[in-house]
Amino acid sequence: MSYFEGKTVLVTGAATGVGEGVAQRLYQAGATVFISGRQLEQVKKTAYTIDPTGEKVIALQADMTSPEQVKSMFEAILAQTGALHGLVNNAGITGPHNTSIVDYNIDDWKAVMDTDINGVFYGLKYGIPALLRSGGGSIVNLSSTNGIVGIAGISAYTAAKHAVLGITRSAALEFAQQGIRVNAIGPGYVDTPRMQQLPDEVRQWMASTHPMKRMATRKEVANMVAFLLSDESSFSTGAFYAVDGGYTAQ
């Protein structure tokens, strides 16, 4: 499948996890993929793992909580390639688990919000002009099953992922007639390398929360992202797509 030959896409927070899986999927589909993260050496390692030639997967350092760094990242991409056709706002953190709102540390709350929603805002603010300059394109924002349901003990993450849906819909409406599509996806638990390090009983519980009784693979999430970035989804914008094995149907 070569949907993305001649296309350039940025995936934020792609040093590992879901972002890495998305970057690999897009590279396999022919895209030139920029991947970003806070730790440049880790991002470089991931880029080399996907594409040892260094020609079509390029590492960039950017902290998505810094508007200046996000702006500079898009400027660097345009300076290097002259165009940007797709954006995946993937960078995010979960924050503390099993913590009541009344016990939630304020600095932890701010850190989750700054990464998970402010980072998406900065990505849209500086990424949309780059897409417009390139003739239009598609954006996929990573929300979560927590974007449409509540889960006790992770209020900041849940609130931020709900907010991702709001900004996705607003951006989609604002640019619907300008060749920009904006959608969000909501993965359930994904079997990433980090998840694989958890105790077996925790992994089994996570799998059991989905009606399909397993976690998603990174490829399954990446396939949905690739579909929404491609022209195969050309009439889809402002929507939320669950990739959760039936979790939110319960």
Side-chain angles (χ1 to χ4, degrees):
M1 198 179 301
S2 56
Y3 289 150
F4 297 98
E5 288 293 344
K7 303 293 187 180
T8 300
V9 182
L10 167 65
V11 184
T12 70
T16 186
V18 170
E20 179 184 7
V22 170
Q24 185 171 25
R25 176 68 179 81
L26 297 174
Y27 165 74
Q28 292 170 345
T32 295
V33 187
F34 284 84
I35 62 174
S36 72
R38 293 177 179 175
Q39 303 298 325
L40 183 58
E41 289 307 311
Q42 180 59 53
V43 182
K44 285 182 175 180
K45 181 179 178 181
T46 299
Y48 179 81
T49 299
I50 298 172
D51 174 26
T53 71
E55 296 177 358
K56 298 200 71 173
V57 181
I58 300 101
L60 295 173
Q61 183 175 25
D63 183 341
M64 293 303 294
T65 69
S66 166
E68 295 80 12
Q69 290 188 32
V70 175
K71 181 181 180 182
S72 295
M73 174 175 61
F74 285 105
E75 290 172 346
I77 293 170
L78 290 178
Q80 186 165 337
T81 66
L84 181 68
H85 307 99
L87 167 62
V88 182
N89 280 313
N90 168 74
I93 60 175
T94 307
H97 289 72
N98 300 316
T99 304
S100 165
I101 289 172
V102 297
D103 296 324
Y104 210 100
N105 180 276
I106 291 175
D107 287 337
D108 289 336
W109 175 275
K110 290 179 178 179
V112 173
M113 291 298 174
D114 209 10
T115 301
D116 291 11
I117 185 57
N118 291 349
V120 172
F121 165 66
Y122 301 144
L124 295 171
K125 178 175 176 61
Y126 298 112
I128 287 174
L131 293 173
L132 289 171
R133 173 176 162 178
S134 308
S138 179
I139 299 171
V140 178
N141 296 325
L142 268 288
S143 181
S144 168
T145 55
N146 294 63
I148 59 173
V149 301
I151 296 181
I154 50 172
S155 56
Y157 180 78
T158 301
K161 291 304 182 180
H162 273 69
V164 168
L165 297 189
I167 199 170
T168 295
R169 289 164 176 152
S170 290
L173 295 174
E174 290 176 12
F175 294 94
Q177 296 184 58
Q178 299 181 55
I180 303 291
R181 296 186 298 107
V182 190
N183 292 289
I185 68 166
Y189 292 115
V190 184
D191 196 19
T192 62
R194 182 180 176 185
M195 291 292 200
Q196 291 165 8
Q197 295 174 2
L198 296 173
D200 286 344
E201 60 270 21
V202 175
R203 287 170 47 78
Q204 290 169 6
W205 172 80
M206 288 178 168
S208 73
T209 64
H210 307 109
M212 293 178 73
K213 301 306 177 187
R214 66 176 179 84
M215 288 190 273
T217 67
R218 289 194 290 180
K219 183 177 180 180
E220 287 171 325
V221 177
N223 283 342
M224 180 61 80
V225 173
F227 169 70
L228 292 172
L229 289 177
S230 78
D231 291 339
E232 296 293 301
S233 61
S234 56
F235 200 58
S236 295
T237 196
F240 171 81
Y241 294 83
V243 190
D244 64 2
Y247 183 97
T248 53
Q250 299 178 104

